Amino acid sequence: MADNDNDLSLLKSELLATVAAATDIAALDEVRVNALGKKGRLTEQMKTLGALAPDARKERGAALNLIKDEVAQSIDARQKELAAVALRQRLERERLDVTLAPRPQAEGRVHPTSQTVDEIVAIFASMGFTVAKGPDIESDWHNFEALNFPPDHPARQMQDTFFMPPVDGKPMVLRTHTSPVQVRTMQTQKPPIRVIIPGRTFRCDSDMTHSPMFHQVEGLVIDEVTHMGHLKGCLLDFLRAFFNTPDLPLRFRPSYFPFVEPGAEVDIGCSRKGGELKLGNFGDWLEIGGCGMVHPNVLRNCGIDPEQYQGFAFGMGIERMAMLKYGIPDLRTFFEADVRWLKHYGFAPLDIPNLALTGVAP
Ligand code: PHE
């Protein structure tokens, strides 16, 4: 038996030595197959047990089983060791280089219409106005009737209207101006009212200076004592701040809008000498909007007593103001969604509107 013991302990130490010598998982797998596999050395030894006498078989079998367990445990332990080494090497290899400079991000641009709305809102906010809104699809009543456009009145033809299918038997339009939101505001707010209304407007019109969809900003002030002087002062402060031109002259030219009385077109001073447009006191004039004192009929239509309250309103085209301020020649390009145009005329997301001239800015 001593011989047997000897050859088994030799076999054991040999096998354990090959386990220890395996330097990667693949080599260890090979060791496992050579020791414990179907034709492995221990398995082969097991197969010889049948030829032994029962006592010897029992003894040798037990000894072989012990060796088998020991070798299997040693393979498992080595496997864990090698896995840990492999992980350590991988972590080492794939280490994150935090010193690597970030790749430049493609930066989006703010559309000039959005930027201009932000600037307008910021200036009027500093003058105590809040923002009001209304729907793009508007009832004929809000868009025309309540604003003192009687049915079949020729003034309706001044605005080439997109007509919509009636809702509950009521005629509907795409709003042709932001003025219907004057009506909505007066119906829901009690004076004093100071709102501006930036928003989309629609007219069936398209050329260099007209687009079927464009933006306007409306202003409405209703109070007990309000007059044309307030209107002119308000527009003057706003326009000088917006165009960053402290001596910008303003002119009211009498005009007709059914919902104001008196009504005026708003012109600002400019020069067009040599085909270049400059804003300022140069003797030439450029129209930028309409305005006037809110018509008593409109106040009445909205449930406001014209004996107690008056007010003024104004409306300006937002793209037109952006074109003037930023030298953009063609209105249609605002709506073509050309990223090259946006890259050129757009604004950085954190550009801040200019409040310097309102005197109320921090
Ligand atoms: N809504 C008018 C237009 O679109 C502009 C305007 C607004 C005129 C307010 C007077 C008062 O032409």
Side-chain angles (χ1 to χ4, degrees):
M1 287 315 269
D3 271 2
N4 283 342
D5 279 354
N6 250 342
D7 78 80
L8 283 191
S9 70
L10 202 67
L11 177 60
K12 179 176 123 180
S13 47
E14 253 181 65
L15 287 176
L16 290 180
T18 55
V19 171
T23 50
D24 58 43
I25 303 281
L28 188 65
D29 274 344
E30 215 170 296
V31 171
R32 189 198 307 272
V33 172
N34 282 339
L36 309 167
K38 263 195 191 153
K39 290 185 175 157
R41 292 177 68 186
L42 281 169
T43 322
E44 293 292 332
Q45 287 296 325
M46 291 292 199
K47 285 182 194 161
T48 62
L49 289 178
L52 296 181
D55 276 357
R57 186 193 313 156
K58 204 172 160 194
E59 200 181 322
R60 194 169 163 86
L64 269 172
N65 271 333
L66 279 178
I67 296 174
K68 216 172 126 182
D69 286 350
E70 209 172 321
V71 170
Q73 271 171 26
S74 136
I75 289 176
D76 283 351
R78 182 73 184 142
Q79 166 128 28
K80 285 200 183 93
E81 249 172 59
L82 288 176
V85 170
L87 180 65
R88 226 178 303 124
Q89 283 171 347
R90 198 170 147 207
L91 287 176
E92 193 69 27
R93 204 171 51 240
E94 297 180 1
R95 182 179 287 176
L96 197 66
D97 182 358
V98 289
T99 65
L100 198 65
R103 271 169 239 145
Q105 292 276 317
E107 196 187 61
R109 306 295 284 174
V110 174
H111 194 282
T113 302
S114 305
Q115 172 77 10
T116 305
V117 169
D118 286 352
E119 292 176 2
I120 293 170
V121 168
I123 295 169
F124 276 112
S126 73
M127 292 160 77
F129 285 71
T130 55
V131 173
K133 283 180 181 166
D136 292 352
I137 301 173
E138 188 53 284
S139 72
D140 180 271
W141 187 80
H142 286 95
N143 195 79
F144 290 123
E145 192 108 17
L147 289 168
N148 204 31
F149 287 82
D152 305 320
H153 191 280
R156 288 195 179 206
Q157 264 118 58
M158 283 161 55
Q159 309 191 347
D160 298 291
T161 310
F162 287 109
F163 295 97
M164 300 295 284
V167 172
D168 298 334
K170 281 188 248 149
M172 303 294 285
V173 298
L174 286 184
R175 68 178 179 193
T176 57
H177 50 177
T178 40
S179 304
V181 192
Q182 285 188 36
V183 176
R184 291 181 176 273
T185 306
M186 286 188 274
Q187 285 180 315
T188 51
Q189 289 183 28
K190 288 210 167 338
I193 293 172
R194 276 185 184 195
V195 291
I196 52 160
I197 304 141
R200 273 184 289 272
T201 49
F202 308 84
R203 291 185 198 179
C204 193
D205 211 351
S206 185
D207 59 37
M208 268 270 278
T209 52
H210 296 91
S211 146
M213 194 282 293
F214 59 106
H215 294 79
Q216 286 191 339
V217 60
E218 191 88 9
L220 176 70
V221 171
I222 305 284
D223 211 333
E224 292 195 18
V225 183
T226 324
H227 53 68
M228 287 288 270
H230 295 132
L231 169 56
K232 197 162 186 180
C234 173
L235 285 176
L236 195 64
D237 278 355
F238 164 68
L239 291 165
R240 287 180 171 177
F242 179 80
F243 288 113
N244 223 335
T245 308
D247 62 345
L248 184 73
L250 181 68
R251 178 175 86 169
F252 279 6
R253 209 161 15 92
S255 184
Y256 174 72
F257 302 95
F259 41 96
V260 287
E261 180 58 35
E265 312 260 3
V266 184
D267 294 347
I268 51 177
C270 73
S271 149
R272 290 178 240 232
K273 276 204 198 94
E276 195 205 340
L277 184 72
K278 269 190 296 181
L279 297 181
N281 198 0
F282 302 110
D284 201 355
W285 297 96
L286 189 78
E287 183 201 320
I288 56 138
C291 69
M293 299 304 294
V294 178
H295 197 291
N297 287 351
V298 177
L299 292 172
R300 263 191 294 271
N301 289 341
C302 302
I304 291 180
D305 178 6
E307 299 300 322
Q308 195 187 352
Y309 293 105
Q310 325 84 46
F312 61 77
F314 54 84
M316 293 174 281
I318 290 176
E319 282 81 16
R320 190 175 172 92
M321 298 186 58
M323 287 164 78
L324 289 172
K325 182 165 178 177
Y326 297 113
I328 306 174
D330 188 336
L331 176 75
R332 288 168 300 191
T333 56
F334 279 75
F335 310 110
E336 279 170 359
D338 184 334
V339 284
R340 294 164 304 177
W341 181 88
L342 195 57
K343 213 167 169 189
H344 183 78
Y345 287 112
F347 293 83
L350 294 178
D351 269 2
I352 39 169
N354 162 48
L355 292 176
L357 294 170
T358 59
V360 232

mmCIF file with all atom_site columns, all heavy atoms in Angstrom, residues 254-277:
data_model
loop_
_atom_site.group_PDB
_atom_site.id
_atom_site.type_symbol
_atom_site.label_atom_id
_atom_site.label_alt_id
_atom_site.label_comp_id
_atom_site.label_asym_id
_atom_site.label_entity_id
_atom_site.label_seq_id
_atom_site.pdbx_PDB_ins_code
_atom_site.Cartn_x
_atom_site.Cartn_y
_atom_site.Cartn_z
_atom_site.occupancy
_atom_site.B_iso_or_equiv
_atom_site.pdbx_formal_charge
_atom_site.auth_seq_id
_atom_site.auth_comp_id
_atom_site.auth_asym_id
_atom_site.auth_atom_id
_atom_site.pdbx_PDB_model_num
ATOM 1   N N   . PRO A 1 254 ? -51.653 110.141 -38.793 1.00 0.00 ? 254 PRO A N   1
ATOM 2   C CA  . PRO A 1 254 ? -53.048 109.747 -38.632 1.00 0.00 ? 254 PRO A CA  1
ATOM 3   C C   . PRO A 1 254 ? -53.419 108.618 -39.594 1.00 0.00 ? 254 PRO A C   1
ATOM 4   O O   . PRO A 1 254 ? -53.016 108.625 -40.755 1.00 0.00 ? 254 PRO A O   1
ATOM 5   C CB  . PRO A 1 254 ? -53.820 111.021 -38.985 1.00 0.00 ? 254 PRO A CB  1
ATOM 6   C CG  . PRO A 1 254 ? -52.864 112.125 -38.747 1.00 0.00 ? 254 PRO A CG  1
ATOM 7   C CD  . PRO A 1 254 ? -51.501 111.578 -39.054 1.00 0.00 ? 254 PRO A CD  1
ATOM 8   N N   . SER A 1 255 ? -54.162 107.656 -39.076 1.00 0.00 ? 255 SER A N   1
ATOM 9   C CA  . SER A 1 255 ? -54.523 106.510 -39.901 1.00 0.00 ? 255 SER A CA  1
ATOM 10  C C   . SER A 1 255 ? -55.825 105.918 -39.376 1.00 0.00 ? 255 SER A C   1
ATOM 11  O O   . SER A 1 255 ? -56.326 106.343 -38.334 1.00 0.00 ? 255 SER A O   1
ATOM 12  C CB  . SER A 1 255 ? -53.406 105.474 -39.852 1.00 0.00 ? 255 SER A CB  1
ATOM 13  O OG  . SER A 1 255 ? -53.704 104.405 -40.712 1.00 0.00 ? 255 SER A OG  1
ATOM 14  N N   . TYR A 1 256 ? -56.337 104.934 -40.082 1.00 0.00 ? 256 TYR A N   1
ATOM 15  C CA  . TYR A 1 256 ? -57.618 104.359 -39.680 1.00 0.00 ? 256 TYR A CA  1
ATOM 16  C C   . TYR A 1 256 ? -57.495 102.888 -39.332 1.00 0.00 ? 256 TYR A C   1
ATOM 17  O O   . TYR A 1 256 ? -57.027 102.082 -40.139 1.00 0.00 ? 256 TYR A O   1
ATOM 18  C CB  . TYR A 1 256 ? -58.642 104.519 -40.814 1.00 0.00 ? 256 TYR A CB  1
ATOM 19  C CG  . TYR A 1 256 ? -59.930 103.809 -40.491 1.00 0.00 ? 256 TYR A CG  1
ATOM 20  C CD1 . TYR A 1 256 ? -60.795 104.309 -39.516 1.00 0.00 ? 256 TYR A CD1 1
ATOM 21  C CD2 . TYR A 1 256 ? -60.282 102.622 -41.134 1.00 0.00 ? 256 TYR A CD2 1
ATOM 22  C CE1 . TYR A 1 256 ? -61.966 103.647 -39.198 1.00 0.00 ? 256 TYR A CE1 1
ATOM 23  C CE2 . TYR A 1 256 ? -61.454 101.956 -40.828 1.00 0.00 ? 256 TYR A CE2 1
ATOM 24  C CZ  . TYR A 1 256 ? -62.284 102.472 -39.861 1.00 0.00 ? 256 TYR A CZ  1
ATOM 25  O OH  . TYR A 1 256 ? -63.443 101.815 -39.534 1.00 0.00 ? 256 TYR A OH  1
ATOM 26  N N   . PHE A 1 257 ? -57.873 102.537 -38.128 1.00 0.00 ? 257 PHE A N   1
ATOM 27  C CA  . PHE A 1 257 ? -58.121 101.162 -37.721 1.00 0.00 ? 257 PHE A CA  1
ATOM 28  C C   . PHE A 1 257 ? -59.464 101.208 -37.000 1.00 0.00 ? 257 PHE A C   1
ATOM 29  O O   . PHE A 1 257 ? -59.653 102.072 -36.132 1.00 0.00 ? 257 PHE A O   1
ATOM 30  C CB  . PHE A 1 257 ? -57.045 100.653 -36.751 1.00 0.00 ? 257 PHE A CB  1
ATOM 31  C CG  . PHE A 1 257 ? -55.638 100.710 -37.284 1.00 0.00 ? 257 PHE A CG  1
ATOM 32  C CD1 . PHE A 1 257 ? -54.824 101.809 -37.004 1.00 0.00 ? 257 PHE A CD1 1
ATOM 33  C CD2 . PHE A 1 257 ? -55.111 99.674  -38.052 1.00 0.00 ? 257 PHE A CD2 1
ATOM 34  C CE1 . PHE A 1 257 ? -53.532 101.869 -37.484 1.00 0.00 ? 257 PHE A CE1 1
ATOM 35  C CE2 . PHE A 1 257 ? -53.811 99.733  -38.533 1.00 0.00 ? 257 PHE A CE2 1
ATOM 36  C CZ  . PHE A 1 257 ? -53.014 100.833 -38.263 1.00 0.00 ? 257 PHE A CZ  1
ATOM 37  N N   . PRO A 1 258 ? -60.393 100.310 -37.302 1.00 0.00 ? 258 PRO A N   1
ATOM 38  C CA  . PRO A 1 258 ? -61.742 100.441 -36.735 1.00 0.00 ? 258 PRO A CA  1
ATOM 39  C C   . PRO A 1 258 ? -61.764 100.414 -35.209 1.00 0.00 ? 258 PRO A C   1
ATOM 40  O O   . PRO A 1 258 ? -62.682 100.950 -34.605 1.00 0.00 ? 258 PRO A O   1
ATOM 41  C CB  . PRO A 1 258 ? -62.482 99.222  -37.293 1.00 0.00 ? 258 PRO A CB  1
ATOM 42  C CG  . PRO A 1 258 ? -61.672 98.708  -38.411 1.00 0.00 ? 258 PRO A CG  1
ATOM 43  C CD  . PRO A 1 258 ? -60.265 99.152  -38.195 1.00 0.00 ? 258 PRO A CD  1
ATOM 44  N N   . PHE A 1 259 ? -60.741 99.790  -34.596 1.00 0.00 ? 259 PHE A N   1
ATOM 45  C CA  . PHE A 1 259 ? -60.783 99.572  -33.143 1.00 0.00 ? 259 PHE A CA  1
ATOM 46  C C   . PHE A 1 259 ? -60.079 100.642 -32.325 1.00 0.00 ? 259 PHE A C   1
ATOM 47  O O   . PHE A 1 259 ? -59.952 100.520 -31.113 1.00 0.00 ? 259 PHE A O   1
ATOM 48  C CB  . PHE A 1 259 ? -60.224 98.188  -32.790 1.00 0.00 ? 259 PHE A CB  1
ATOM 49  C CG  . PHE A 1 259 ? -59.000 97.814  -33.600 1.00 0.00 ? 259 PHE A CG  1
ATOM 50  C CD1 . PHE A 1 259 ? -57.728 98.016  -33.094 1.00 0.00 ? 259 PHE A CD1 1
ATOM 51  C CD2 . PHE A 1 259 ? -59.128 97.258  -34.876 1.00 0.00 ? 259 PHE A CD2 1
ATOM 52  C CE1 . PHE A 1 259 ? -56.609 97.676  -33.835 1.00 0.00 ? 259 PHE A CE1 1
ATOM 53  C CE2 . PHE A 1 259 ? -58.017 96.916  -35.620 1.00 0.00 ? 259 PHE A CE2 1
ATOM 54  C CZ  . PHE A 1 259 ? -56.750 97.141  -35.112 1.00 0.00 ? 259 PHE A CZ  1
ATOM 55  N N   . VAL A 1 260 ? -59.600 101.693 -32.996 1.00 0.00 ? 260 VAL A N   1
ATOM 56  C CA  . VAL A 1 260 ? -59.012 102.820 -32.248 1.00 0.00 ? 260 VAL A CA  1
ATOM 57  C C   . VAL A 1 260 ? -59.567 104.140 -32.771 1.00 0.00 ? 260 VAL A C   1
ATOM 58  O O   . VAL A 1 260 ? -59.983 104.239 -33.931 1.00 0.00 ? 260 VAL A O   1
ATOM 59  C CB  . VAL A 1 260 ? -57.462 102.837 -32.346 1.00 0.00 ? 260 VAL A CB  1
ATOM 60  C CG1 . VAL A 1 260 ? -56.848 101.735 -31.508 1.00 0.00 ? 260 VAL A CG1 1
ATOM 61  C CG2 . VAL A 1 260 ? -57.002 102.755 -33.783 1.00 0.00 ? 260 VAL A CG2 1
ATOM 62  N N   . GLU A 1 261 ? -59.573 105.127 -31.918 1.00 0.00 ? 261 GLU A N   1
ATOM 63  C CA  . GLU A 1 261 ? -59.997 106.463 -32.320 1.00 0.00 ? 261 GLU A CA  1
ATOM 64  C C   . GLU A 1 261 ? -59.452 107.493 -31.339 1.00 0.00 ? 261 GLU A C   1
ATOM 65  O O   . GLU A 1 261 ? -59.820 107.433 -30.169 1.00 0.00 ? 261 GLU A O   1
ATOM 66  C CB  . GLU A 1 261 ? -61.535 106.554 -32.358 1.00 0.00 ? 261 GLU A CB  1
ATOM 67  C CG  . GLU A 1 261 ? -62.073 107.907 -32.757 1.00 0.00 ? 261 GLU A CG  1
ATOM 68  C CD  . GLU A 1 261 ? -61.586 108.364 -34.130 1.00 0.00 ? 261 GLU A CD  1
ATOM 69  O OE1 . GLU A 1 261 ? -61.419 107.516 -35.023 1.00 0.00 ? 261 GLU A OE1 1
ATOM 70  O OE2 . GLU A 1 261 ? -61.338 109.578 -34.273 1.00 0.00 ? 261 GLU A OE2 1
ATOM 71  N N   . PRO A 1 262 ? -58.552 108.387 -31.689 1.00 0.00 ? 262 PRO A N   1
ATOM 72  C CA  . PRO A 1 262 ? -57.910 108.436 -33.003 1.00 0.00 ? 262 PRO A CA  1
ATOM 73  C C   . PRO A 1 262 ? -56.912 107.294 -33.197 1.00 0.00 ? 262 PRO A C   1
ATOM 74  O O   . PRO A 1 262 ? -56.481 106.681 -32.241 1.00 0.00 ? 262 PRO A O   1
ATOM 75  C CB  . PRO A 1 262 ? -57.193 109.788 -32.970 1.00 0.00 ? 262 PRO A CB  1
ATOM 76  C CG  . PRO A 1 262 ? -56.947 110.069 -31.535 1.00 0.00 ? 262 PRO A CG  1
ATOM 77  C CD  . PRO A 1 262 ? -58.066 109.430 -30.773 1.00 0.00 ? 262 PRO A CD  1
ATOM 78  N N   . GLY A 1 263 ? -56.576 107.068 -34.479 1.00 0.00 ? 263 GLY A N   1
ATOM 79  C CA  . GLY A 1 263 ? -55.613 106.014 -34.787 1.00 0.00 ? 263 GLY A CA  1
ATOM 80  C C   . GLY A 1 263 ? -54.421 106.598 -35.552 1.00 0.00 ? 263 GLY A C   1
ATOM 81  O O   . GLY A 1 263 ? -54.540 107.654 -36.184 1.00 0.00 ? 263 GLY A O   1
ATOM 82  N N   . ALA A 1 264 ? -53.305 105.925 -35.468 1.00 0.00 ? 264 ALA A N   1
ATOM 83  C CA  . ALA A 1 264 ? -52.100 106.442 -36.134 1.00 0.00 ? 264 ALA A CA  1
ATOM 84  C C   . ALA A 1 264 ? -51.188 105.298 -36.562 1.00 0.00 ? 264 ALA A C   1
ATOM 85  O O   . ALA A 1 264 ? -51.226 104.207 -35.982 1.00 0.00 ? 264 ALA A O   1
ATOM 86  C CB  . ALA A 1 264 ? -51.342 107.362 -35.176 1.00 0.00 ? 264 ALA A CB  1
ATOM 87  N N   . GLU A 1 265 ? -50.400 105.582 -37.597 1.00 0.00 ? 265 GLU A N   1
ATOM 88  C CA  . GLU A 1 265 ? -49.298 104.685 -37.932 1.00 0.00 ? 265 GLU A CA  1
ATOM 89  C C   . GLU A 1 265 ? -48.079 105.200 -37.173 1.00 0.00 ? 265 GLU A C   1
ATOM 90  O O   . GLU A 1 265 ? -47.917 106.403 -37.003 1.00 0.00 ? 265 GLU A O   1
ATOM 91  C CB  . GLU A 1 265 ? -48.974 104.735 -39.431 1.00 0.00 ? 265 GLU A CB  1
ATOM 92  C CG  . GLU A 1 265 ? -50.176 104.612 -40.327 1.00 0.00 ? 265 GLU A CG  1
ATOM 93  C CD  . GLU A 1 265 ? -50.382 103.221 -40.914 1.00 0.00 ? 265 GLU A CD  1
ATOM 94  O OE1 . GLU A 1 265 ? -49.598 102.318 -40.562 1.00 0.00 ? 265 GLU A OE1 1
ATOM 95  O OE2 . GLU A 1 265 ? -51.333 103.058 -41.695 1.00 0.00 ? 265 GLU A OE2 1
ATOM 96  N N   . VAL A 1 266 ? -47.232 104.290 -36.753 1.00 0.00 ? 266 VAL A N   1
ATOM 97  C CA  . VAL A 1 266 ? -46.032 104.667 -36.009 1.00 0.00 ? 266 VAL A CA  1
ATOM 98  C C   . VAL A 1 266 ? -44.839 104.628 -36.958 1.00 0.00 ? 266 VAL A C   1
ATOM 99  O O   . VAL A 1 266 ? -44.555 103.590 -37.551 1.00 0.00 ? 266 VAL A O   1
ATOM 100 C CB  . VAL A 1 266 ? -45.780 103.693 -34.841 1.00 0.00 ? 266 VAL A CB  1
ATOM 101 C CG1 . VAL A 1 266 ? -44.587 104.141 -34.015 1.00 0.00 ? 266 VAL A CG1 1
ATOM 102 C CG2 . VAL A 1 266 ? -47.024 103.545 -33.981 1.00 0.00 ? 266 VAL A CG2 1
ATOM 103 N N   . ASP A 1 267 ? -44.151 105.763 -37.086 1.00 0.00 ? 267 ASP A N   1
ATOM 104 C CA  . ASP A 1 267 ? -42.941 105.805 -37.924 1.00 0.00 ? 267 ASP A CA  1
ATOM 105 C C   . ASP A 1 267 ? -41.731 106.102 -37.047 1.00 0.00 ? 267 ASP A C   1
ATOM 106 O O   . ASP A 1 267 ? -41.832 106.860 -36.082 1.00 0.00 ? 267 ASP A O   1
ATOM 107 C CB  . ASP A 1 267 ? -43.044 106.950 -38.965 1.00 0.00 ? 267 ASP A CB  1
ATOM 108 C CG  . ASP A 1 267 ? -44.142 106.703 -39.993 1.00 0.00 ? 267 ASP A CG  1
ATOM 109 O OD1 . ASP A 1 267 ? -44.651 105.571 -40.068 1.00 0.00 ? 267 ASP A OD1 1
ATOM 110 O OD2 . ASP A 1 267 ? -44.478 107.673 -40.719 1.00 0.00 ? 267 ASP A OD2 1
ATOM 111 N N   . ILE A 1 268 ? -40.577 105.520 -37.404 1.00 0.00 ? 268 ILE A N   1
ATOM 112 C CA  . ILE A 1 268 ? -39.340 105.897 -36.717 1.00 0.00 ? 268 ILE A CA  1
ATOM 113 C C   . ILE A 1 268 ? -38.380 106.523 -37.719 1.00 0.00 ? 268 ILE A C   1
ATOM 114 O O   . ILE A 1 268 ? -38.442 106.260 -38.919 1.00 0.00 ? 268 ILE A O   1
ATOM 115 C CB  . ILE A 1 268 ? -38.657 104.692 -36.018 1.00 0.00 ? 268 ILE A CB  1
ATOM 116 C CG1 . ILE A 1 268 ? -38.500 103.510 -36.979 1.00 0.00 ? 268 ILE A CG1 1
ATOM 117 C CG2 . ILE A 1 268 ? -39.433 104.279 -34.776 1.00 0.00 ? 268 ILE A CG2 1
ATOM 118 C CD1 . ILE A 1 268 ? -37.778 102.327 -36.389 1.00 0.00 ? 268 ILE A CD1 1
ATOM 119 N N   . GLY A 1 269 ? -37.502 107.390 -37.223 1.00 0.00 ? 269 GLY A N   1
ATOM 120 C CA  . GLY A 1 269 ? -36.558 108.111 -38.074 1.00 0.00 ? 269 GLY A CA  1
ATOM 121 C C   . GLY A 1 269 ? -35.484 107.194 -38.619 1.00 0.00 ? 269 GLY A C   1
ATOM 122 O O   . GLY A 1 269 ? -35.028 106.280 -37.945 1.00 0.00 ? 269 GLY A O   1
ATOM 123 N N   . CYS A 1 270 ? -35.119 107.440 -39.876 1.00 0.00 ? 270 CYS A N   1
ATOM 124 C CA  . CYS A 1 270 ? -34.088 106.606 -40.488 1.00 0.00 ? 270 CYS A CA  1
ATOM 125 C C   . CYS A 1 270 ? -33.409 107.342 -41.627 1.00 0.00 ? 270 CYS A C   1
ATOM 126 O O   . CYS A 1 270 ? -33.782 108.474 -41.970 1.00 0.00 ? 270 CYS A O   1
ATOM 127 C CB  . CYS A 1 270 ? -34.697 105.299 -41.013 1.00 0.00 ? 270 CYS A CB  1
ATOM 128 S SG  . CYS A 1 270 ? -35.702 105.529 -42.498 1.00 0.00 ? 270 CYS A SG  1
ATOM 129 N N   . SER A 1 271 ? -32.416 106.708 -42.197 1.00 0.00 ? 271 SER A N   1
ATOM 130 C CA  . SER A 1 271 ? -31.791 107.195 -43.428 1.00 0.00 ? 271 SER A CA  1
ATOM 131 C C   . SER A 1 271 ? -31.620 106.011 -44.356 1.00 0.00 ? 271 SER A C   1
ATOM 132 O O   . SER A 1 271 ? -31.308 104.907 -43.903 1.00 0.00 ? 271 SER A O   1
ATOM 133 C CB  . SER A 1 271 ? -30.427 107.818 -43.087 1.00 0.00 ? 271 SER A CB  1
ATOM 134 O OG  . SER A 1 271 ? -29.547 107.652 -44.178 1.00 0.00 ? 271 SER A OG  1
ATOM 135 N N   . ARG A 1 272 ? -31.880 106.231 -45.640 1.00 0.00 ? 272 ARG A N   1
ATOM 136 C CA  . ARG A 1 272 ? -31.710 105.135 -46.599 1.00 0.00 ? 272 ARG A CA  1
ATOM 137 C C   . ARG A 1 272 ? -30.683 105.514 -47.659 1.00 0.00 ? 272 ARG A C   1
ATOM 138 O O   . ARG A 1 272 ? -30.662 104.921 -48.730 1.00 0.00 ? 272 ARG A O   1
ATOM 139 C CB  . ARG A 1 272 ? -33.038 104.839 -47.297 1.00 0.00 ? 272 ARG A CB  1
ATOM 140 C CG  . ARG A 1 272 ? -34.071 104.194 -46.395 1.00 0.00 ? 272 ARG A CG  1
ATOM 141 C CD  . ARG A 1 272 ? -35.361 103.996 -47.148 1.00 0.00 ? 272 ARG A CD  1
ATOM 142 N NE  . ARG A 1 272 ? -36.419 104.732 -46.479 1.00 0.00 ? 272 ARG A NE  1
ATOM 143 C CZ  . ARG A 1 272 ? -37.584 104.210 -46.121 1.00 0.00 ? 272 ARG A CZ  1
ATOM 144 N NH1 . ARG A 1 272 ? -37.868 102.980 -46.418 1.00 0.00 ? 272 ARG A NH1 1
ATOM 145 N NH2 . ARG A 1 272 ? -38.481 104.937 -45.494 1.00 0.00 ? 272 ARG A NH2 1
ATOM 146 N N   . LYS A 1 273 ? -29.857 106.499 -47.325 1.00 0.00 ? 273 LYS A N   1
ATOM 147 C CA  . LYS A 1 273 ? -28.882 106.986 -48.315 1.00 0.00 ? 273 LYS A CA  1
ATOM 148 C C   . LYS A 1 273 ? -27.938 105.867 -48.729 1.00 0.00 ? 273 LYS A C   1
ATOM 149 O O   . LYS A 1 273 ? -27.463 105.112 -47.894 1.00 0.00 ? 273 LYS A O   1
ATOM 150 C CB  . LYS A 1 273 ? -28.064 108.136 -47.705 1.00 0.00 ? 273 LYS A CB  1
ATOM 151 C CG  . LYS A 1 273 ? -28.791 109.474 -47.840 1.00 0.00 ? 273 LYS A CG  1
ATOM 152 C CD  . LYS A 1 273 ? -27.804 110.640 -47.811 1.00 0.00 ? 273 LYS A CD  1
ATOM 153 C CE  . LYS A 1 273 ? -28.543 111.931 -47.510 1.00 0.00 ? 273 LYS A CE  1
ATOM 154 N NZ  . LYS A 1 273 ? -28.549 112.261 -46.076 1.00 0.00 ? 273 LYS A NZ  1
ATOM 155 N N   . GLY A 1 274 ? -27.700 105.778 -50.031 1.00 0.00 ? 274 GLY A N   1
ATOM 156 C CA  . GLY A 1 274 ? -26.766 104.771 -50.565 1.00 0.00 ? 274 GLY A CA  1
ATOM 157 C C   . GLY A 1 274 ? -27.252 103.347 -50.365 1.00 0.00 ? 274 GLY A C   1
ATOM 158 O O   . GLY A 1 274 ? -26.440 102.427 -50.319 1.00 0.00 ? 274 GLY A O   1
ATOM 159 N N   . GLY A 1 275 ? -28.571 103.214 -50.214 1.00 0.00 ? 275 GLY A N   1
ATOM 160 C CA  . GLY A 1 275 ? -29.131 101.864 -50.083 1.00 0.00 ? 275 GLY A CA  1
ATOM 161 C C   . GLY A 1 275 ? -28.901 101.246 -48.714 1.00 0.00 ? 275 GLY A C   1
ATOM 162 O O   . GLY A 1 275 ? -29.302 100.118 -48.458 1.00 0.00 ? 275 GLY A O   1
ATOM 163 N N   . GLU A 1 276 ? -28.264 101.974 -47.798 1.00 0.00 ? 276 GLU A N   1
ATOM 164 C CA  . GLU A 1 276 ? -27.999 101.410 -46.465 1.00 0.00 ? 276 GLU A CA  1
ATOM 165 C C   . GLU A 1 276 ? -28.961 102.018 -45.460 1.00 0.00 ? 276 GLU A C   1
ATOM 166 O O   . GLU A 1 276 ? -29.116 103.240 -45.399 1.00 0.00 ? 276 GLU A O   1
ATOM 167 C CB  . GLU A 1 276 ? -26.552 101.719 -46.061 1.00 0.00 ? 276 GLU A CB  1
ATOM 168 C CG  . GLU A 1 276 ? -26.089 100.895 -44.892 1.00 0.00 ? 276 GLU A CG  1
ATOM 169 C CD  . GLU A 1 276 ? -24.959 101.574 -44.121 1.00 0.00 ? 276 GLU A CD  1
ATOM 170 O OE1 . GLU A 1 276 ? -24.287 102.470 -44.686 1.00 0.00 ? 276 GLU A OE1 1
ATOM 171 O OE2 . GLU A 1 276 ? -24.767 101.214 -42.956 1.00 0.00 ? 276 GLU A OE2 1
ATOM 172 N N   . LEU A 1 277 ? -29.613 101.189 -44.714 1.00 0.00 ? 277 LEU A N   1
ATOM 173 C CA  . LEU A 1 277 ? -30.603 101.664 -43.749 1.00 0.00 ? 277 LEU A CA  1
ATOM 174 C C   . LEU A 1 277 ? -29.943 101.925 -42.394 1.00 0.00 ? 277 LEU A C   1
ATOM 175 O O   . LEU A 1 277 ? -29.301 101.053 -41.830 1.00 0.00 ? 277 LEU A O   1
ATOM 176 C CB  . LEU A 1 277 ? -31.708 100.625 -43.585 1.00 0.00 ? 277 LEU A CB  1
ATOM 177 C CG  . LEU A 1 277 ? -32.846 101.052 -42.661 1.00 0.00 ? 277 LEU A CG  1
ATOM 178 C CD1 . LEU A 1 277 ? -33.712 102.115 -43.323 1.00 0.00 ? 277 LEU A CD1 1
ATOM 179 C CD2 . LEU A 1 277 ? -33.678 99.859  -42.242 1.00 0.00 ? 277 LEU A CD2 1
#
